Amino acid sequence: MLITLLLLRQCGVLNEVLQPKDTELEGMDGLVQYCMDGDTIESVLISKAEAILTFDDERYEVSITLYSKRDSIIYLSAVNSGFEILRATVKHDSIEVINRLNKIVYRSPLKRKFGYQYPVSFDDLQNLIANYYLCDELDRAHDDLQKSVVFDMDEHLIKKRISLNRLGGDINIFEFYHQKTDRYLMGERLENSFKIYSNFMITEFEIVASGGLRTFNRDIKVKMDVNPRRYTFIELR
């Protein structure tokens, strides 16, 4: 479920500790200027985002905290009515998800030794959190000179595309799809929110997210400890 929550930074009111300069440029020129102004950003923290999360035929209204430290870790916490129902981390080589409702800890390598790979990598997920991370992929972007700047990052058997609005740079749509396994992570902008859906880990789920407060270059401690006597541990390969 962590993977479906990574576009929260695209929606709602933002309270920014470090405010990059606004640019009046559009398209690729605007994106390049945006990257130059945000070159000192090393971490992003999003808190108090609102979302509707659906999985296992259940629907939850949740408050989301999402934290990313560049090239290091992505962390998520989802709280429903004051109770944390989900906590998760993604590192370069692994994913760990704590389902507090069912008392299960899921662990999986992000890079698989055997069989087909997942449709996304750590870098893909990081790129969805903030455009500052996409700045490392400018050589894969093209400007259609109409509405979008599109990043095409296809790999063998995997379609990867992120489309940004030429004016403002918000993500309009993203698609990560494995042609052999039919596993996917996809998202699309709605009128006042962003819809994300996926089936590539644990179960199928969907989230519609909006709002959130965002701060930059703040360190937080990430804890994934649980009582081993109360939780079941499942290794996904």
Side-chain angles (χ1 to χ4, degrees), residues 16 23 83 106 117 126 177 183 192 201 204 212 223:
E16 303 186 354
T23 176
F83 176 76
Y106 297 94
Q117 294 297 320
Q126 181 174 256
Y177 174 71
R183 299 289 185 175
N192 296 310
M201 185 181 175
E204 292 186 14
K223 297 181 178 180

Side-chain angles (χ1 to χ4, degrees), residues 217-230:
N217 292 342
R218 177 179 172 183
D219 288 329
I220 67 171
K221 294 182 178 180
V222 175
K223 297 181 178 180
M224 296 295 288
D225 299 329
V226 298
N227 187 334
R229 297 181 179 180
R230 296 183 178 181

Side-chain angles (χ1 to χ4, degrees), residues 2-3 68-75 89-96 108-112 117-118 120-127 133 136-137:
L2 172 63
I3 314 306
S68 172
K69 188 171 183 178
R70 183 188 292 270
D71 298 328
S72 177
I73 192 171
I74 300 168
Y75 163 79
T89 57
V90 178
K91 298 180 181 179
H92 274 279
D93 59 354
S94 64
I95 301 175
E96 183 173 0
S108 174
L110 190 53
K111 295 181 179 179
R112 308 178 73 183
Q117 294 297 320
Y118 289 131
V120 292
S121 66
F122 178 89
D123 290 339
D124 294 328
L125 300 176
Q126 181 174 256
N127 288 340
Y133 300 137
D136 294 332
E137 307 288 349

Side-chain angles (χ1 to χ4, degrees), residues 65-154:
T65 298
L66 178 65
Y67 174 73
S68 172
K69 188 171 183 178
R70 183 188 292 270
D71 298 328
S72 177
I73 192 171
I74 300 168
Y75 163 79
L76 167 80
S77 173
V79 175
N80 170 256
S81 300
F83 176 76
E84 184 180 61
I85 64 174
L86 178 75
R87 179 175 292 202
T89 57
V90 178
K91 298 180 181 179
H92 274 279
D93 59 354
S94 64
I95 301 175
E96 183 173 0
V97 179
I98 301 174
N99 184 332
R100 298 201 185 279
L101 293 173
N102 298 324
K103 297 291 194 256
I104 299 175
V105 178
Y106 297 94
R107 292 170 177 163
S108 174
L110 190 53
K111 295 181 179 179
R112 308 178 73 183
K113 292 183 178 180
F114 305 102
Y116 294 113
Q117 294 297 320
Y118 289 131
V120 292
S121 66
F122 178 89
D123 290 339
D124 294 328
L125 300 176
Q126 181 174 256
N127 288 340
L128 296 177
I129 294 176
N131 285 357
Y132 311 109
Y133 300 137
L134 264 177
C135 294
D136 294 332
E137 307 288 349
L138 290 180
D139 60 329
R140 299 190 178 190
H142 67 271
D143 190 341
D144 68 5
L145 302 180
Q146 298 182 34
K147 295 182 178 180
S148 305
V149 174
V150 180
F151 289 77
D152 286 314
M153 299 173 286
D154 292 353

